[in-house]
Amino acid sequence: MKIREILSFDALKGVRVVAGADHLERDIRWVHVIDLPVSHLLHWVQPGQFLLTTGIAWPREEEQLRSLIRSLAEQKLACVGMAIPQFFENFPESACDEANKVALPLLEIPWDIPFAYVTESVHRAILKEQYQIIEQSEAIHNALTRAAVEANSLQELAVTLGKLIKRSITFEDAEGHVLADNALEKEEDAIRRATRAAGQSPPDFLAHLESLGYLSKLRTMSGPTHIPALPQFDLAGRVVCPIRLKDELIGFVWIIEGERPLSELDIRAAQHAAIIAVLHIARQRELASFEARLGYTFLSSLLEGR
């Protein structure tokens, strides 16, 4: 659930964003009400939380306020909401200035809006969104499983996945050669177009990912990861998941970000696709092995006159 989305809720009517307005696409994992002394506050907050406070225990001195805002940003909070006016007339200018520097959205909440109303509304929306993601993820998994049984190639799997999540998809081997892809041309960036034209990812792009540590990370992990946009390469964001058969790295599934931001559903889809691709590749290897054994037996029979 994005910060920008909750601002349209009735429970947050009249709320003002006074800092960090450029970072409202941040996800909120949960809402937490804390009015502890500052010395204890940081032990109670976690990444992704929407922190609600009356400000009763917040410092009034400018440098202490700035230090608190920096510390909250380091905890990777989604945002902070303060009920005003009571203990603070508004968020102090120094707090807003520091929050803009560290990209921490600050929200001023009218005093007459109960925190219980805010937490109930946001939590209900978060749980509803999670339920929808699980339902969609299950549907994608079932569709891919059926495709794995019926498909004759990875290309059919790529097309099926692309239609399900409406994104450009690429299956590549461990060296970056394209094994299959599904194209949505209006959502393709320069690297994606170059990859499709050459049949493999551009070497300079792979070298840059190596220098950033992404490729070494992908070679050792089994789950998906998000690669943010790289403007110097005209590269949109991506979700990539390794395809592994036991300890062997076979390749990668790439899901390309288009007009819609990548979401948790895309991460789950990449993981499902990697599992189904492993099953398909393992089956193809087994068939190839069987055909090789059958051909060898047939040749031996001919040589022996049987």
Side-chain angles (χ1 to χ4, degrees):
M1 179 64 60
K2 309 290 185 187
I3 299 172
R4 190 179 303 280
E5 293 175 294
I6 71 165
L7 292 176
S8 65
F9 293 179
D10 288 342
L12 290 167
K13 191 168 293 184
V15 167
R16 290 197 317 127
V17 179
V18 295
D22 293 334
H23 304 279
L24 300 182
E25 294 303 316
R26 192 170 292 170
D27 286 313
I28 295 174
R29 294 178 52 249
W30 208 243
V31 185
H32 199 7
V33 181
I34 304 180
D35 267 328
L36 292 171
V38 173
S39 58
H40 300 287
L41 173 62
L42 298 178
H43 298 290
W44 287 71
V45 296
Q46 295 181 6
Q49 288 182 339
F50 176 11
L51 172 63
L52 295 177
T53 180
T54 64
I56 188 172
W58 280 41
R60 269 57 178 173
E61 296 77 10
E62 178 176 334
E63 191 47 48
Q64 290 182 2
L65 262 177
R66 288 181 179 273
S67 176
L68 175 58
I69 294 295
R70 288 194 298 270
S71 297
L72 291 174
E74 288 169 1
Q75 295 293 105
K76 301 187 184 304
L77 285 179
C79 57
V80 178
M82 180 182 287
I84 56 106
Q86 185 68 24
F87 302 107
F88 279 90
E89 188 69 22
N90 296 98
F91 264 114
E93 185 177 339
S94 58
C96 295
D97 178 60
E98 197 65 35
N100 281 322
K101 291 179 181 177
V102 296
L104 177 63
L106 300 182
L107 282 58
E108 291 183 345
I109 302 173
W111 183 262
D112 58 355
I113 298 178
F115 280 173
Y117 186 25
V118 176
T119 56
E120 181 184 357
S121 299
V122 177
H123 286 167
R124 186 187 297 117
I126 290 173
L127 292 173
K128 180 180 178 181
E129 183 179 70
Q130 287 299 312
Y131 180 74
Q132 291 173 339
I133 288 174
I134 291 171
E135 276 193 323
Q136 292 173 307
S137 177
E138 185 69 17
I140 289 171
H141 179 71
N142 291 338
L144 285 177
T145 303
R146 288 194 300 272
V149 173
E150 301 168 0
N152 295 314
S153 66
L154 277 178
Q155 181 60 33
E156 292 182 36
L157 290 177
V159 171
T160 298
L161 179 59
K163 288 180 179 178
L164 286 168
I165 63 175
K166 295 179 174 59
R167 294 199 187 274
S168 290
I169 311 294
T170 304
F171 287 92
E172 298 179 14
D173 66 16
E175 286 72 45
H177 298 95
V178 176
L179 302 174
D181 79 313
N182 177 74
L184 295 179
E185 292 186 3
K186 67 176 183 178
E187 297 198 347
E188 296 196 337
D189 54 30
I191 294 296
R192 165 75 177 174
R193 291 191 294 271
T195 298
R196 293 185 63 227
Q200 69 178 83
S201 292
D204 58 338
F205 166 62
L206 293 177
H208 189 67
L209 288 186
E210 186 75 68
S211 69
L212 294 175
Y214 285 115
L215 287 187
S216 56
K217 179 181 177 182
L218 288 168
R219 292 190 192 102
T220 57
M221 66 189 298
S222 57
T225 191
H226 175 251
I227 297 178
L230 300 173
Q232 66 269 39
F233 284 94
D234 186 19
L235 180 89
R238 280 149 163 72
V239 169
V240 55
C241 186
I243 303 172
R244 293 187 178 279
L245 184 56
K246 295 184 179 180
D247 294 329
E248 179 188 358
L249 176 63
I250 297 174
F252 304 99
V253 181
W254 296 83
I255 297 180
I256 317 300
E257 185 173 51
E259 296 176 352
R260 293 176 294 118
L262 292 165
S263 67
E264 183 180 342
L265 183 64
D266 297 303
I267 293 174
R268 288 171 177 253
Q271 198 159 20
H272 291 326
I275 293 171
I276 298 305
V278 165
L279 295 176
H280 178 81
I281 291 169
R283 187 181 68 173
Q284 294 301 316
R285 285 186 175 185
E286 185 178 352
L287 288 174
S289 177
F290 175 74
E291 290 173 355
R293 291 197 305 270
L294 188 64
Y296 177 77
T297 302
F298 178 68
L299 179 61
S300 297
S301 299
L302 288 177
L303 292 175
E304 294 173 7
R306 291 185 286 112

